[in-house]
Amino acid sequence: MSPVRESMKNLRALSLLICLFLSAGGAAIAQAPAENEPAAPVREFDPGPRGESLAPRPAPEGVPADGQSGNEKGEQTAPPADIQHLPPELRRLLQSRQPLIKEVEPTPALREQLYKQLWSQLANEYVDESKLTDWDERLRKYDGKLNTAEEMDAAIQELIESVGDRWTKYQSPTERMEFSKMVKDGYVLAGLVLRRHADQDWHIDSIMFDSAAYLSELKEGDIIVSINGKNLDKLTEHEVIKLTAGRVGEVIKVVARWDGKEHTVGLTLNKPMEDTVLVRKLPDDVLYIRLPTYEKPEIIDEFYNKLKHEYYEAKGGLTGIVLDLRNNGGGLFDMALKTSSLFMESGTITKSTVHKGQLETVTEYRVRPMPQFAKRMMSDPHMLDFFTWLQNAPMVVLINGSTASASEVTAGALQDNGRAHVIGTHSFGKSVGFTIQELPNGGRFFMTSLKYLTPNGRDLVNTGIQPDQVVEMPRLAPKDLQLVAAHDYVVKLAAKRFQQVQDGKDLAGKPASELERLDANPYRTPLILIGFVIGLLILAYTQLASNKKK
């Protein structure tokens, strides 16, 4: 068989195995509507603080390839120009098949109908009905009062804000047009994800990787007092986002408060690096790999291929793995399942809950052990060794305050199953998903409609993942202390396992008389027996792996 056909055979077998061994059901999948049927709302899972969409959408019809917005009818549309460098929040605002302005002027009756449609969707599908206060009274609150687009926008905004959920929101056509113009003019964002907390201050909830904010001394939790001299007290979220935007090279002056003092920080706007998997070998043959996002399926493919390449390049001689999920704001739920399953032989990844009316659906996503027939189907004799290494090598997951949503699925699954040691700081705490719906007035509606728990039943909303080992990062630290701690942990665990193997070999080589003498000590007997059994098992596995490689 030629090398090309052999490679294709291995690839097909691998695809079969990945599909076969991830046991899950009930995943929410956006399907294209049949012809002449209305488009259903698109369900997106865990966009994270960065706001990634579940899947990239094709450019809207009627938009020229050179990025100019508009079509032959003069409609204003979201530009499909090169927007990959933009934060996912902004990309999601722009990627749409719907024109931002409709030519049909709605009547007051149509405006009331839209308002009640959103009321009904929240009543039936919102994830926490306890937050729908006075909902019956809100149904007809604006009857006969929605005579203009501005009145309708204000009514919808008031309805949604009453829920008190930052992920359930309404974006008006005007706001979307402003974002569209920002992109067309070449604007980028500083990488700050801000939110007004109960104290009425604007806090940094998360920071985008490789952004101007990421390269500064700012940290999650800092309070932003002003931007370019403008106080944020009375501004809306949309207005605050606009203040963090500018052209590449411009400097945004931010006044931030931490440790009880105010500090002025200059953010030089840059174009963040393209999303790519970073991999390198640390001292002592520890493999470091950074997963930047779950937003794109091709990123997960790249992640797997680089893991495999490094393993084969080292001929299996890698000490362990450091998986870096810091500043990974999430993305595709299915990609979180796929990534988690790579490192787990079996066990639960997560449990999700959705409801529609009185019907509630709870889904458990599990990984099943690989069946023997599938192992025998592998034409590459080293592929099984690679999977075994992925599922058993000493492993650390790095997280921080900007690790969110889908990345928390992976971190929580590996932590709860005892597969990996988690190091860093408290994660973001966003274990919900939402649906996105294009509205006939050109606006967009986001509704939280799904929540998930870790395998041990932990609800991460507003709590996040607590690391097994907390390591703080000082501002502008010259050394990555979290990565140093991760490296040290992997090396020590690998050394401990190696010593266990050696102890097992030593015990296996001792004569029976000496083993009997050791047994005379009642306090050592249980430990010796356990060590003896473990040693024999590890020795047998080592010899089997060695024979396969030969």
Side-chain angles (χ1 to χ4, degrees), residues 51-69:
E52 289 89 339
S53 64
L54 266 180
R57 299 182 180 180
E61 299 176 359
V63 179
D66 61 1
Q68 298 291 328
S69 63

Side-chain angles (χ1 to χ4, degrees), residues 179-255:
F179 276 120
S180 176
K181 186 177 186 305
M182 286 166 56
V183 175
K184 185 178 179 181
D185 292 342
Y187 279 55
V188 297
L189 297 185
L192 291 171
V193 179
L194 304 175
R195 181 167 68 99
R196 191 194 299 274
H197 285 213
D199 58 9
Q200 298 305 306
D201 288 327
W202 287 89
H203 295 244
I204 299 178
D205 267 9
S206 65
I207 296 175
M208 289 180 53
F209 177 73
D210 200 43
S211 63
Y214 178 85
L215 301 174
S216 74
E217 58 188 307
L218 295 174
K219 295 179 67 175
E220 295 92 347
D222 291 349
I223 295 173
I224 302 301
V225 179
S226 67
I227 300 176
N228 285 339
K230 191 162 187 176
N231 194 285
L232 307 187
D233 284 349
K234 299 180 180 180
L235 300 186
T236 65
E237 181 181 5
H238 176 69
E239 292 168 334
V240 170
I241 292 175
K242 288 170 62 178
L243 287 179
T244 67
R247 293 181 174 84
V248 173
E250 291 182 358
V251 178
I252 292 179
K253 290 186 179 181
V254 173
V255 175

Side-chain angles (χ1 to χ4, degrees), residues 394-396 420-423 468-469 483-495:
M395 183 176 183
V396 166
H421 188 69
V422 178
I423 292 178
D468 299 308
Q469 181 179 343
L483 181 56
V484 171
H487 167 270
D488 291 346
Y489 180 88
V490 168
V491 171
K492 289 178 181 178
L493 180 57

Side-chain angles (χ1 to χ4, degrees), residues 107-120 122 133-135 137-163 168-173 175 439 441 444-445:
T107 64
L110 289 176
R111 294 190 182 99
E112 286 185 21
Q113 181 180 340
L114 177 57
Y115 174 88
K116 291 177 180 179
Q117 173 191 331
L118 300 184
W119 179 96
S120 178
L122 286 163
T133 56
D134 301 324
W135 211 244
E137 298 176 7
R138 294 182 184 276
L139 176 60
R140 302 190 179 281
K141 182 176 180 178
Y142 293 98
D143 283 5
K145 300 177 182 179
L146 304 182
N147 298 310
T148 66
E150 290 76 14
E151 290 175 343
M152 181 180 66
D153 287 343
I156 293 176
Q157 198 69 46
E158 190 272 338
L159 174 73
I160 294 174
E161 286 182 355
S162 71
V163 177
T168 297
K169 57 186 178 181
Y170 168 70
Q171 291 171 340
S172 70
E175 291 174 343
L439 302 179
N441 70 329
R444 189 176 275 184
F445 174 49

Side-chain angles (χ1 to χ4, degrees), residues 19 26 41 47 49 68 90 98 154 172 223 230 257 304 319 516 549:
C19 294
Q68 298 291 328
L90 194 51
Q98 299 291 340
S172 70
I223 295 173
K230 191 162 187 176
R257 186 189 308 130
Y304 169 79
T319 306
E516 289 175 0
K549 291 182 180 179

